Amino acid sequence: MREALLSRLSAESVRYVLPDAPGQSWYDAKAVDPPTPETETQLSDALGRVAEAVAVARSECAGVPLVLIGFSQGACLVAEYLMRGDRADMAAMLTGCRVGAVSDALPTAQLDGMPIYCANGNTDPWIPPWAFDKAVAGFVAMGARVRSDVFPGRPHEISAGEIAEIDRMLVSLCEGRPVFGPAP
């Protein structure tokens, strides 16, 4: 994330917190696999690490907007963190979906106008379009203000278009302007 995204953003006065996944993955299953007790335990542990990082960021940077950005498993954690009732000022889910996306009984929480940017490739081998679409629809149903982009043929990576949109959103947020224009 440091090289692929952060080094290419122009927003000033931003502090980035990047929790590391133990062993370079947060959980041992594909996000769309049915949840197992082991996956649930790993997901709970991962969400705990995200919550700790958020708490530290909020205490060390009081008054600074909190933005959650994740790619792949990190994007799935962003979705789960928000849909389980935790908050941010803005979020971006890059190539992600809900964990256990085949289940209809996933937790949800009101998102009350939170701006969320979602992007995926239409042939991504890890996050199928139907799972991405289901996550986006869930955000909208819970009241988020969502922008969603699907990039034809994009491999499992972050694209220049996604970086440009996140940068635009961050600059707007840092300058106190609406991320997606005025609220309806």
Side-chain angles (χ1 to χ4, degrees), residues 7 10 12-13 20 25 30 43 63 69 85 87 93 102 120 122 127 132 160 171 175 178:
S7 66
S10 67
E12 296 179 11
S13 302
D20 290 325
S25 78
K30 278 185 123 175
L43 179 59
I69 302 172
R87 300 290 304 161
M93 180 184 77
V102 296
N120 200 40
N122 69 337
I127 306 295
F132 173 79
V171 168
E175 292 177 353

Side-chain angles (χ1 to χ4, degrees), residues 82-83 87-90 98 108-118 134-147 180 182-184:
L82 298 175
M83 290 298 254
R87 300 290 304 161
D89 296 303
M90 186 183 99
R98 299 293 308 275
T108 59
Q110 288 301 313
L111 298 173
D112 303 324
M114 180 188 307
I116 302 176
Y117 176 61
C118 304
K134 186 175 179 178
V136 170
F139 288 149
V140 171
M142 294 295 103
R145 298 183 71 208
V146 177
R147 167 153 178 202
F180 292 134

Side-chain angles (χ1 to χ4, degrees), residues 14-27:
V14 175
R15 177 170 181 247
Y16 300 100
V17 178
L18 301 161
D20 290 325
Q24 298 188 346
S25 78
W26 291 104
Y27 45 85

